[in-house]
Amino acid sequence: AMVPTPQNAVAATGSTRWLFAGIIYALLSSVSSGQSLPMNPSFIPRGGNHEENVTKKYSDSGHPSELPLPSDGHEIIKEFVAYNRFRKIIERTVKTPKGKVLDFDIVDQNGAGAVIIFAWCTKTKTVTILREYNPGCHRILHGLAAGIIETCPDKHDSDPLLAAHHELEEELHLSGGTWHRLTEEGCTVAMDKYNACMITAYLVLDADNVKNPRPLDEEEDIEIVRGVPAAEILDMVRRGEFNIVGGFAALLAIEKLRELGELPLMKG
């Protein structure tokens, strides 16, 4: 299967698809070499006046934590909910630092973000994943246990780790185990450029089987797939059998497993 590169990704239509291809290429290259991603990638200017969109590097602005605030001078002038059901569409008007006023349609997941969990067995050196229908692409894909962090005090009370425990039990019939957060403490990852949902990713080691698990949500129809080697997960990601969020979390988890000594470092 062909791994996307910046060269062949140009053929894809739309900047978002180019961006996703670049992300997967960079992460897969990191996993294949056993090396961490460099800390000084360039911010790629896209569109508009290229003289104004000056390329910046981390080295020009200090450590990533010292970069400007996330909004970087962009101001939300107004926003309202245009559609609201399980997910909602927010129409947001933003004023840029250059004075342009832009309208965006933003998807919101109606929660306090979302969680995704990579379930690893240290005895068999395999992962438990799932197969389910993805309505957006109208395909059956492999994936990891994942779900929305509910704000209701009777459910998750906006606690990502509690939400992760519940989703692991509901979708993979597993509970307990040793948990590792896959991003820095307090750090969440944006699902998409036009999606307000922020993702918290976890690795769990040696979770136990549950005989009477929590029930699935009504719209979920999930097949549990056990005993998948890490190498096969990488092949699935390359073949496009994971969605972008599942592939991202799987690659982070595999890198963490190498750090923990669960998987050998790649020779490069």
Side-chain angles (χ1 to χ4, degrees), residues 12-80:
T13 59
S15 60
T16 300
R17 292 174 67 180
W18 192 99
L19 176 62
F20 284 170
I23 291 171
I24 289 295
Y25 172 73
L27 287 170
L28 286 174
S29 297
S30 169
V31 171
S32 298
S33 65
Q35 298 175 352
S36 298
L37 290 175
M39 290 303 294
N40 63 341
S42 298
F43 292 109
I44 303 173
R46 306 204 320 266
N49 187 330
H50 283 257
E51 292 183 359
E52 294 178 0
N53 296 335
V54 178
T55 303
K56 296 181 180 179
K57 296 182 179 180
Y58 283 146
S59 57
D60 297 332
S61 306
H63 188 274
S65 63
E66 298 171 1
L67 290 172
L69 293 174
S71 62
D72 199 19
H74 291 74
E75 176 188 358
I76 297 177
I77 297 175
K78 64 179 179 179
E79 63 179 29
F80 67 93

Side-chain angles (χ1 to χ4, degrees), residues 223-251:
E223 175 188 350
I224 299 173
V225 182
R226 305 184 189 277
V228 184
E232 178 61 18
I233 296 294
L234 295 178
D235 287 342
M236 289 177 177
V237 173
R238 293 186 182 102
R239 294 194 300 260
E241 296 175 15
F242 273 72
N243 63 35
I244 193 72
V245 177
F248 160 78
L251 293 173

Side-chain angles (χ1 to χ4, degrees), residues 52 64 66 78 92 149 161 171 173 191 239 243 268:
E52 294 178 0
E66 298 171 1
K78 64 179 179 179
R92 177 176 292 172
I149 305 169
L161 185 56
E171 298 189 353
H173 300 177
M191 179 180 285
R239 294 194 300 260
N243 63 35

